[in-house]
Amino acid sequence: MIDQIDSDKKKLTINDIAKLCGVGKSTVSRVINNDPMVNEDTRKKVNEIIEKYQFTPSKSARAMRGYSNRSFGIIMTRLDSYAENQAVSSMLPILYQNNIDPIILESQFKPEKVEEHLKMLEHQKVDGIILFAFSGIDANKLKSWQQKMIVIARPLAGFVSICHDDDRAIKYLMQYFHVEKGYHKINYIGIYTKDETTGLLRYNAYLNYCQQHNLIPHAQLGELNYQSGYLLTEEILTTSPQAILCATDSLAFGVQKYLSEKNITHIDVACVGRNDLLTFLFPQTTFYRLGFRESGKEAANTLIKMLKTKITPQNIIISSNDLN
């Protein structure tokens, strides 16, 4: 087939690339759109063929394919976010099943990056966008996308938003420590309150529970990373807690590393979010799974519905009680 392509000077199609690489055309499409979920060896093989034959997707051919030409932009906050990758991995099979190409981008929690990506996606004439939202995003600058966008993680007025029940997650874990374990000294390591959901909302839920049950709150707030959890642990231990509740699994990684290094085994640790690596390394950690896989499926299916019919702006709450 390669000789025939060379001799006829034929312009390759995605089907040709797929046959040359021994993969499906959807895999080629995913490589072209920089899907991070593609196996690295497969990505390399496809890119080598694309470069060798100087392949570029035909816009006119894509336009004539109708439904199969559809594409969705997915703007994540961080490509290395375990929770967001859970959501995206549950979206992709639904998109591929409906012949929709994903274009995955990263905002790095920067509103200007979101605006930049939206301009590019508008130029690409995508059919819809799934946006992982964060504090600082101006809903007014997204108005033109209201009927073509699903927002995940925090509510935005005028949009279909899919959120997790952060308040319930904290309350559930506090009840576990307070009622089931009988603890009264439950400390908290969280995120700075400038973050409205993971930071402020979860921290307020902790404070409210302490107030309602006459517990003395002890909290340390920092950045959303392992190092912050590690550094804040030393300070949080000065009040001799029986348990430490972490706002995220990233923070719990840092806490458990610190406790392990200091051979401290009498303090229980729990967190919002379930990370498989954390489960493997520190199986004694108690997790509350928020349901990012469920929110990913909900986002993909709802956005597909929005292509066919108008959906009223609403806040969809995804709740999970997976405590283990």
Side-chain angles (χ1 to χ4, degrees), residues 45-304:
K45 182 192 299 184
V46 173
N47 280 329
E48 284 177 354
I49 294 295
I50 287 174
E51 183 177 352
K52 180 175 181 179
Y53 292 98
Q54 298 181 335
F55 168 77
T56 55
S58 168
K59 293 183 179 180
S60 59
R62 287 171 63 87
M64 288 189 294
R65 287 206 303 269
Y67 188 76
S68 63
N69 182 56
R70 292 181 175 178
S71 60
F72 284 172
I74 302 174
I75 304 179
M76 304 172 66
T77 60
R78 296 179 296 126
L79 291 177
D80 63 352
S81 167
Y82 184 85
E84 292 184 17
N85 271 291
Q86 282 186 313
V88 173
S89 67
S90 68
M91 296 175 194
L92 296 181
I94 297 171
L95 301 187
Y96 298 143
Q97 185 179 1
N98 287 274
N99 297 314
I100 297 174
D101 295 330
I103 301 174
I104 301 175
L105 303 164
E106 180 185 47
S107 69
Q108 301 171 349
F109 295 99
K110 298 177 181 178
E112 62 272 19
K113 275 283 185 185
V114 173
E115 293 179 34
E116 177 185 322
H117 292 331
L118 290 177
K119 288 179 181 178
M120 183 276 287
L121 293 171
E122 183 177 18
H123 180 73
Q124 293 286 331
K125 300 187 184 304
V126 298
D127 298 276
I129 291 176
I130 296 172
L131 171 66
F132 288 85
F134 54 91
S135 301
I137 290 181
D138 186 353
N140 291 322
K141 294 184 178 180
L142 307 178
K143 278 187 175 179
S144 61
W145 293 96
Q146 280 181 326
Q147 285 303 309
K148 295 194 296 183
M149 178 181 285
I150 299 290
V151 177
I152 293 182
R154 65 184 301 264
L156 280 186
F159 290 83
V160 175
S161 303
I162 298 175
C163 301
H164 303 97
D165 200 340
D166 297 273
D167 185 85
R168 184 175 186 272
I170 296 296
K171 182 178 179 181
Y172 202 93
L173 289 172
M174 287 295 289
Q175 285 178 331
Y176 168 72
F177 280 146
H178 182 222
V179 179
E180 293 190 32
K181 303 286 285 188
Y183 295 159
H184 289 81
K185 300 179 72 174
I186 308 167
N187 290 6
Y188 179 83
I189 291 182
I191 309 299
Y192 290 129
T193 55
K194 62 184 178 182
D195 182 295
E196 295 179 16
T197 51
T198 309
L200 181 61
L201 200 156
R202 295 184 190 180
Y203 179 50
N204 282 343
Y206 166 75
L207 294 178
N208 289 338
Y209 188 94
C210 289
Q211 183 179 21
Q212 291 168 9
H213 296 86
N214 297 315
L215 301 178
I216 299 175
H218 293 285
Q220 293 291 325
L221 306 181
E223 301 290 345
L224 177 58
N225 54 51
Y226 312 131
Q227 294 85 354
S228 183
Y230 182 90
L231 294 173
L232 293 174
T233 304
E234 182 175 9
E235 182 64 27
I236 208 73
L237 291 179
T238 59
T239 56
S240 303
Q242 296 168 294
I244 299 174
L245 171 55
C246 301
T248 72
D249 48 15
S250 295
L251 293 173
F253 256 117
V255 172
Q256 289 287 31
K257 177 176 172 58
Y258 185 95
L259 296 179
S260 177
E261 289 180 354
K262 302 299 181 181
N263 294 314
I264 299 173
T265 59
H266 65 280
I267 298 176
D268 283 355
V269 177
C271 65
V272 178
R274 188 181 187 281
N275 185 301
D276 289 339
L277 182 58
L278 181 59
T279 306
F280 177 73
L281 295 176
F282 302 105
Q284 69 273 29
T285 309
T286 299
F287 303 89
Y288 183 97
R289 190 177 66 86
L290 274 180
F292 271 89
R293 293 189 186 279
E294 291 83 352
S295 62
K297 292 177 182 178
E298 183 72 27
N301 285 321
T302 303
L303 191 54
I304 290 171

